[in-house]
Amino acid sequence: MRFDLITLFPEMFAAVRDQGVCGRAHQRGLWALHTWNPRDFTHDVHRTVDDRPFGGGPGMVMMAEPLAQAVQAVRAARQQVGADAVGQEAPVVLLSPVGQTHHQALASRWAGGAGAILVCGRYEGIDQRFIDRYVDLEVSLGDFVLSGGELGAMVLIDSVVRLLPGVLHDAESAQQDSFNPALTGLLDSPHYTRPEVWDGVTTPETLLSGHHVRIAAWRRQQSLTLTAARRPDLIEQARRTGGLSPRDEAVLKDASLLTDSSDRTESAQ
């Protein structure tokens, strides 16, 4: 897998390329990262990549031509090393507030591909003509705005790379991630480690039992109740897709009854 980043700040990507799980995977050759600065595709002494917006308004807009030449150079480089199959060019992805919200299922889908060309915008935005001509997909991390696309690109890369075979020390770790299809898209259960008692609080007895069936049932129960409390929308989504068993529904019903009972007690006081 190879990611090519078109960015005015290539040095920022050392964080995801050299550090942590992704850094170790990069060193082992499980994925590759290359950066391309649009300023290298300009032809004036100032290496200009932006200009004032037509129609007036604040800020500056990134120009189409340097970005277009960067994309063309990236595609040629990827073809030269065989990063893309014939007739299957890597998608050009723009990190943008108006894009499709990134989520775990998409990260899993990306992990089965050959990577992408990620365009990191800056300033007020990018000339729409470049977007219309070259961008295949716009991706957002949520309803907020960053100073540029670099941080979003790093988050996207991390979410995908950690799912590649051999990246995590224990492959089952990714299966327990929140939002993973293995958990029916629900939140993960709480985790505990040594010591068994910390600051007077004891680890749940079930987790110390060594009884794998009981432990699995406890974790599923915790996942359900936590998701119902924090992200009820995920419960409804799992219900619509047939991801909840009759036992799951019984757990949710019991949790709801306990909550109702607690609320009534507090009201009486």
Side-chain angles (χ1 to χ4, degrees):
M1 172 173 286
R2 168 172 166 156
F3 284 102
D4 288 270
L5 285 301
I6 298 177
T7 170
L8 294 174
F9 299 96
E11 63 276 6
M12 291 181 66
F13 290 92
V16 69
R17 184 194 62 215
D18 301 336
Q19 304 296 324
V21 169
C22 290
R24 292 192 294 273
H26 190 271
Q27 292 171 6
R28 293 166 55 199
L30 298 180
W31 70 289
L33 184 151
H34 298 267
T35 57
W36 306 76
N37 194 328
R39 295 193 189 279
D40 295 334
F41 300 91
T42 58
H43 305 286
D44 67 305
V45 67
H46 300 292
R47 305 176 76 202
T48 305
V49 295
D50 63 307
D51 208 332
R52 297 184 185 87
F54 285 131
M60 304 290 277
V61 176
M62 294 189 72
M63 302 164 67
E65 186 60 21
L67 293 172
Q69 291 195 26
V71 168
Q72 292 165 13
V74 172
R75 284 178 169 167
R78 291 180 67 98
Q79 290 176 2
Q80 186 174 12
V81 299
D84 296 330
V86 177
Q88 296 182 351
E89 293 181 328
V92 176
V93 180
L94 173 64
L95 281 299
S96 167
V98 305
Q100 174 184 8
T101 303
H102 188 59
H103 52 76
Q104 189 69 22
L106 283 177
S108 298
R109 198 178 308 160
W110 280 56
I117 302 169
L118 304 182
V119 180
C120 303
R122 281 272 159 176
Y123 314 124
E124 285 298 308
I126 292 176
D127 191 311
Q128 186 64 39
R129 291 168 293 185
F130 168 81
I131 298 173
D132 294 340
R133 172 66 177 81
Y134 285 97
V135 173
D136 300 304
L137 175 67
E138 295 183 67
V139 174
S140 170
L141 295 187
D143 296 339
F144 53 91
V145 177
L146 299 171
S147 300
E150 285 80 10
L151 290 174
M154 284 188 273
V155 170
L156 189 152
I157 290 170
D158 185 274
S159 72
V160 173
V161 169
R162 65 188 305 277
L163 299 179
L164 297 177
V167 170
L168 297 180
H169 178 69
D170 186 345
E172 292 188 5
S173 295
Q175 296 300 310
Q176 296 301 316
D177 288 340
S178 294
F179 315 114
N180 194 288
L183 291 178
T184 328
L186 306 182
L187 301 179
D188 194 5
S189 62
H191 298 277
Y192 297 82
T193 189
R194 293 178 178 80
E196 292 181 12
V197 180
W198 177 80
D199 200 24
V201 181
T202 304
T203 300
E205 181 276 332
T206 300
L207 297 179
L208 305 175
S209 68
H211 194 294
H212 298 301
V213 174
R214 285 181 57 200
I215 291 172
W218 181 90
R219 286 176 170 160
R220 181 63 175 180
Q221 179 184 19
Q222 294 294 311
S223 173
L224 287 162
T225 54
L226 179 62
T227 306
R230 304 284 182 85
R231 290 290 303 276
D233 58 305
L234 297 178
I235 293 290
E236 292 305 318
Q237 180 176 312
R239 188 172 280 139
R240 287 194 301 269
T241 58
L244 299 184
S245 68
R247 177 173 294 182
D248 290 338
E249 295 288 5
V251 169
L252 291 169
K253 182 178 180 180
D254 289 343
S256 177
L257 291 174
L258 288 173
T259 301
D260 292 344
S261 176
S262 176
D263 290 343
R264 286 194 296 272
T265 300
E266 291 179 2
S267 298
Q269 293 174 350

